[in-house]
Amino acid sequence: MPVLTYREAVRNALADEMRADENVVFFGEDVAAAGGVFKTTPGLQEEFGSKRVRDTPISEEAFIGAALGAAITGLRPVAELMFADFIPVAMDQIVNQIAKYRYMSGGQFMVPLTIRSAQGGGVGFGTQHSQTAENWLLNTPGLKIVLPGTPVDAYGLLRGAIRENNPVIVLEHKGLYNLKGEVPDDTGVLELGKAKVVRAGRHVTVVGAQLMVHRALEAAETLAKDGIEVEVIDLRTLAPLDTATVLESIKKTGRLVVVEEAPHTSSWGGDLASLAADEGIYYLDAPVKRVNMGRAMFAYSEPLETLAIPSVERITAAIRETAYTQ
Amino acid sequence: MPVLTYREAVRNALADEMRADENVVFFGEDVAAAGGVFKTTPGLQEEFGSKRVRDTPISEEAFIGAALGAAITGLRPVAELMFADFIPVAMDQIVNQIAKYRYMSGGQFMVPLTIRSAQGGGVGFGTQHSQTAENWLLNTPGLKIVLPGTPVDAYGLLRGAIRENNPVIVLEHKGLYNLKGEVPDDTGVLELGKAKVVRAGRHVTVVGAQLMVHRALEAAETLAKDGIEVEVIDLRTLAPLDTATVLESIKKTGRLVVVEEAPHTSSWGGDLASLAADEGIYYLDAPVKRVNMGRAMFAYSEPLETLAIPSVERITAAIRETAYTQ
Amino acid sequence: MVVINIPQPTVSVTPLDVDTRMTALRKMLEIRLTEEKIQEMFLANLIRGTTHLCIGQEGVSTGVASALRKGDTVTCTYRGHGHALALGMSVKAMIAEMMGKTSGCCKGKGGSMHMTDASIGLLGANAIVGAQLPIAVGAALTASMKNTGAISVTFFGDAATNIGAFHESLNLASVWKLPVIFVCENNRYGEYSPQHWTTPVENLSVRAASYNIPGVTVDGQDVETVHAEFKVAAERARAGEGPTFLEMKTYRYLGHSRTDTGPYRPPGELDAWKERDPILLLKVKMIADGQLDEVEFGELRDAAERHVAEAVEWAKQEPYPTEADLLTDIFYEG
Amino acid sequence: MVVINIPQPTVSVTPLDVDTRMTALRKMLEIRLTEEKIQEMFLANLIRGTTHLCIGQEGVSTGVASALRKGDTVTCTYRGHGHALALGMSVKAMIAEMMGKTSGCCKGKGGSMHMTDASIGLLGANAIVGAQLPIAVGAALTASMKNTGAISVTFFGDAATNIGAFHESLNLASVWKLPVIFVCENNRYGEYSPQHWTTPVENLSVRAASYNIPGVTVDGQDVETVHAEFKVAAERARAGEGPTFLEMKTYRYLGHSRTDTGPYRPPGELDAWKERDPILLLKVKMIADGQLDEVEFGELRDAAERHVAEAVEWAKQEPYPTEADLLTDIFYEG
Ligand SMILES: Cc1ncc(C[n+]2csc(CCOP(=O)(O)OP(=O)(O)O)c2C)c(N)n1
Ligand SMILES: Cc1ncc(C[n+]2csc(CCOP(=O)(O)OP(=O)(O)O)c2C)c(N)n1
Ligand SMILES: [Mg+2]
Ligand SMILES: [Mg+2]
């Protein structure tokens, strides 16, 4: 079975969609001639030409807005925001325009638009180049938000995003670009909005996305040795959130730990806890625990960054505590 | 006891702080000569002069960033973003700069800066002029966020915000500007970060802010007739969130309803549900209910806007359901 | 006394043929009378929220629309009723929208600030200052990539030229040589602030030099001048020569929005501008050329008035959206 | 062969006195050698993340700093090591910061892209393109309101002139007539894109006309020219005459960041610029004026090299932050 890096999976998905539909165009800063600062898009301009694959000036508000204008007039643009930390620079176009354009027009337009961006910490880029971005966007209806955590998901979900007739924000994790994984030849378009149980278990449900899922899996491995069987769910899409899969698991395990690479406040972790406290409450056998960055920022200095982002140890401890609560 | 409108309270707070500290400067679009589009700041330019009270060009990113530059060099700026829906236009300065400036410098600066803005729906301003803004900001550490819901709080909390040596976002509710209320003569600076139990009750805890608190109080009134004693908490500050007051109440009532004028996803309502599902879980007697806008947008058309925003009826129904759950 | 500087045309302005003139006159009257009616309805609480009227500025929208072709697209501002009507939106669809009715152009989900009708190329009015410019750049990208020969037009105010999105859009359109015409309606005020408080240059067209594109200051009150200057820009754009920035000097007679009475205007300014009313200027020309007389003009006006009144009566009877409409039109399902 | 256009000075450039020249030469050497060492450390994994070096551009930061007074403030970019050192940051504080140590200028919480030292007026380097400009406008507002006579300087790149914050900041500073000097370091590239791909004008100083402020294109490689042109702008600003936009033509010898090898450069370009190296130009002048010889220059270089090496050794021994530092410096408590 072919093994690709997450980075290659992104590139292949984009290339395959550009081959499949000539309306797909791709632009962003240094994505064309240079193939992207994370080298996710090399060779695309060579293959598809300098009209379909373009470098932009540094003007996120303009080119993200241009993606919207292009989407409502017949193209299927994919725009790259180099770092997800730059989402705030184009925030008006994303939350006030793109998310609302179909609605405000009373359904006159489809908005088949994808924004790709690299998020997440752990690689020492400092406070303005490490953030996870989903919680800036999740309170705004009208956007689909995808966080692939593996090469196969990076491939299939990006293809799914580009095929969507709605705006999709695909947040890749920059700490995962070198991750290798199998991408079967028949991997096609993956449907958005489906979480995946990546490890089955009876005792505790752990929910996360991206880097946190990988760490949760490590934690599960350790805990298995102590007889704690952890079920790990990779959300993959955050909007719409697959609450059914999570609820199903809570019903089985009665225990929930939500792991996020983000500060504690006003995030999707709260929504899962809230799901547990509402529809899930009669199944709960222990308090719902959240492992996240609390009130900390993404830091530059390595020890601080390591402390800020949930580690395998912190995740393991939280699961253990939850598992043993009566 | 003097009765002021919420609008007048805002104005008086600003005027009193400008009198108290000559480093307080105030600027925004049409705030000076015209006194603001919501007429919250008439007469300030006359009293404090055109250097301390300034009209700005339409350039939110620049003047919010300028507020930051002024704050770290010795002024105590108050900047107005006319509608909170424009926060995304200045989002980079708010979340990447203002929130992080002290931290990134290793604590070299104080950032005594206040941003005032008008948020909330119900007055027919449509999809881009009605949103509540707090959930765009709450996942970013480094900001204090205040949502006054009464004239006395508008007065005291704005004064408190201006005195803070940290960045504070004060989100006024545009549907409350005409609300009248007592502002005792000795009302001074109110401390940020303190929720207030605005109605005591034994059976159900209802938590909200601004317009939703007023509606919750109406609901409580109705329910009281049926013997349901509702405790209503006005959060007033969302960051930092006064979880102690909420938890205290949950311990007493065992039942929690969280009411928000915002979509359901990735909001502070989830954090309160999460609090209940974690520290509060052994006290809960019923599922935690959230009343909010679900997946709806702020709409222009009156019937739709009315349906989108939690009404007294919806709040009443949710409390009643919670109260009667065994 | 207030003296108005009238920009000189930079191209030769030939009189439009009588049919085109008549169409323009009718359109301007329709806009004028619709706006007057909207103001009345707003004050009578038949329209909620806020509304931004373009009375006095009809020459710009009408002149530009007269030079567009099918397939061309437009984005504009909350002060967009004139653009919508000039492009061909029906008064009914507009009034119903403003009343929040399902038969409004956006099913009542847009409102006064969001007039949109894809079928006439109106991609949307926008309530965020400057946000419509990038969107127009994107529409031009489509035209350019698909070689449709269409152009993209975006309208914005004088004060909008101070926001970042303006700068970024002109730059991007220039670098990509896209067929966009940036039409600034310089009505001398941004809300309650006169231009010179917020903008350190008098003729905004000088800003085009930053992007190496033509910038022209135009007499926005003369619909034929607007037409002629716009046409040159449109031809450049259609020929693949890239964007143009047109600054239309114009004036709004009413307040910025709602109940603003315009206390910030210097005395005499409004009257001076009314002497250069776009409807008046065209009417005078047509009378001078024997194409119109006062009686006929009165009839045109009355017809427009009846048309608007009928639309209002119709819209009043139309249904409001219901709960079934609450969550529709957010996502395309399919 | 690549020919470099050298902008002619717009003011008379008189030679600086020997002490000032010597200080500038030392400073440029310090910057150059620090940057070379940082690159080495980065490749040896002693510095994490990324780093953006300014080798080749030392004339700009040094020339500007030589004309500043105590109380003046500066904001700059991620490519800010030169500005920090020119303003007087110690190499130790910088290296320690880059290594994430508590004795770094920001206690290890900033890193390579966020060099900050309030005590020398360096209000911060910024990792978001353009974001430092509004902040500088605010610092100038303080200076203006408090009548301190101080000026505010902000450094940014050529490609940054395409972002909205640039436009808004120049406009606001002009309207408020604030003492800001906007210093564009035009090193011909934004990351891997040459200027003409993203920017439709050659001399960025033309953009000043949009704000009715002076715009000057300056030879950024000659530290004395930088000093002279900057001084005129500074005097205007201190006299309350408002902002100036200075475009410094310069060049970076290394890649944009990290491991970029600069495949996008036309052959010969780098060599052509190296002939106009800012250290070389000053050295040649000083030798011609009998103020320096090759031996002395070699000693200066060696001294700088030792100084940097010592700082690195020191920084290696410094402690890292600990859990106790995780939540500090977010809010001021008190
Ligand atoms: C980003 C943003 N800032 C502020 C506003 C509030 N606002 C609406 S219209 C307006 C003035 C715009 O003036 P101008 O661009 O000249 O257009 P005009 O209204 O005169 O047609 C302002 C400040 C807004 N809608 N969006
Ligand atoms: C808003 C934003 N967009 C993009 C980037 C990524 N980025 C960092 S530096 C850079 C190029 C900047 O070029 P220029 O302004 O010429 O400065 P130089 O690096 O050449 O000094 C880009 C695109 C960023 N940091 N911030
Ligand atoms: Mg205007
Ligand atoms: Mg550059």
Side-chain angles (χ1 to χ4, degrees), chain A residues 138-139 265-266 271 278 289, chain B residues 138-139 265-266 271 278 289:
Chain A
L138 280 166
N139 194 240
T265 41
S266 207
D271 290 324
D278 183 358
K289 289 291 167 197
Chain B
L138 280 166
N139 194 242
T265 42
S266 206
D271 289 325
D278 183 358
K289 289 290 168 198

Side-chain angles (χ1 to χ4, degrees), chain B residues 29 58 60 86, chain C residues 78-79 127 129 157-160 187 189-191 256:
Chain B
E29 290 157 10
I58 309 181
E60 285 81 3
F86 309 160
Chain C
Y78 47 85
R79 199 179 304 290
V129 166
D158 43 298
N187 63 8
Y189 294 90
E191 292 196 345
H256 165 69

Side-chain angles (χ1 to χ4, degrees), chain B residues 64-94:
Chain B
I64 294 299
L68 170 57
I72 59 173
T73 50
L75 294 177
R76 193 172 282 277
V78 180
E80 175 179 306
L81 279 171
M82 192 183 291
F83 284 77
D85 311 70
F86 309 160
I87 282 178
V89 180
M91 186 82 172
D92 174 60
Q93 286 294 334
I94 299 172

Side-chain angles (χ1 to χ4, degrees), chain A residues 6-7 38 82-85 117-123 125-126 128-132 171-178 210 261:
Chain A
Y6 185 101
R7 169 183 286 116
F38 295 108
M82 193 183 291
F83 283 77
D85 311 70
S117 194
Q119 74 170 8
V123 285
F125 280 148
Q128 292 178 335
H129 275 61
S130 303
Q131 295 164 92
T132 50
L171 299 167
E172 299 159 13
H173 195 292
K174 69 174 93 71
L176 299 178
Y177 279 130
N178 291 329
Q210 297 188 320
E261 185 181 344

Side-chain angles (χ1 to χ4, degrees), chain A residues 29-30 33-34 36-39 55-60 82-83 85-86 89 122-129 293-308, chain D residues 47-50 97-101 107-114 125-129 159-160 162-164 190-193 197-199 258 320-323 325-327 330:
Chain A
E29 292 158 9
D30 289 306
V37 294
F38 295 108
K39 298 286 172 266
D55 286 315
T56 65
I58 309 181
S59 46
E60 285 82 2
M82 193 183 291
F83 283 77
D85 311 70
F86 309 160
V89 180
V123 285
F125 280 148
T127 313
Q128 292 178 335
H129 275 61
M293 294 174 54
R295 297 175 291 117
M297 297 203 185
F298 285 90
Y300 170 74
S301 184
E302 188 153 17
L304 292 181
E305 190 174 26
T306 304
L307 283 163
Chain D
I47 293 173
R48 63 200 299 255
T50 184
E97 183 60 31
M98 215 123 25
M99 296 182 79
K101 302 295 182 82
K107 303 184 189 164
K109 291 178 172 177
S112 176
M113 301 204 275
H114 296 289
N126 211 301
I128 304 291
V129 165
N162 295 327
I163 202 158
E191 291 197 344
Y192 322 131
S193 295
W197 288 5
T198 59
T199 316
R258 299 195 275 176
Y320 283 106
T322 66
E323 185 142 18
D325 302 300
L326 188 64
L327 298 176
I330 295 177

Side-chain angles (χ1 to χ4, degrees), chain D residues 54 79 172 182 232 249 310-311 324 332 334:
Chain D
C54 70
R79 200 180 304 289
L172 183 60
F182 295 96
V232 173
K249 300 276 197 188
E310 280 163 27
Y332 174 87

Side-chain angles (χ1 to χ4, degrees), chain C residues 100-112:
Chain C
K101 302 295 183 84
T102 39
S103 44
C105 60
C106 305
K107 304 184 190 163
K109 291 178 172 176
S112 175

Side-chain angles (χ1 to χ4, degrees), chain A residues 85 96-97 100 103 128 131 135-136 138-140 263-266 271 274 277-278 282 288-290 299 325, chain B residues 85 96-97 100 103 128 131 135-136 138-140 263 265-266 271 274 277-278 282 288-290 299 325:
Chain A
D85 311 70
N96 283 331
Q97 311 302 332
K100 298 176 171 48
Y103 181 79
Q128 292 178 335
Q131 295 164 92
N135 294 309
W136 288 327
L138 280 166
N139 194 240
T140 303
H264 179 90
T265 41
S266 207
D271 290 324
S274 149
D278 183 358
Y282 298 110
V288 174
K289 289 291 167 197
R290 293 171 63 190
T325 308
Chain B
D85 311 70
N96 282 333
Q97 311 301 333
K100 298 175 171 52
Y103 181 78
Q128 292 178 335
Q131 296 165 88
N135 294 309
W136 288 326
L138 280 166
N139 194 242
T140 303
T265 42
S266 206
D271 289 325
S274 150
D278 183 358
Y282 298 111
V288 174
K289 289 290 168 198
R290 293 171 63 189
T325 308

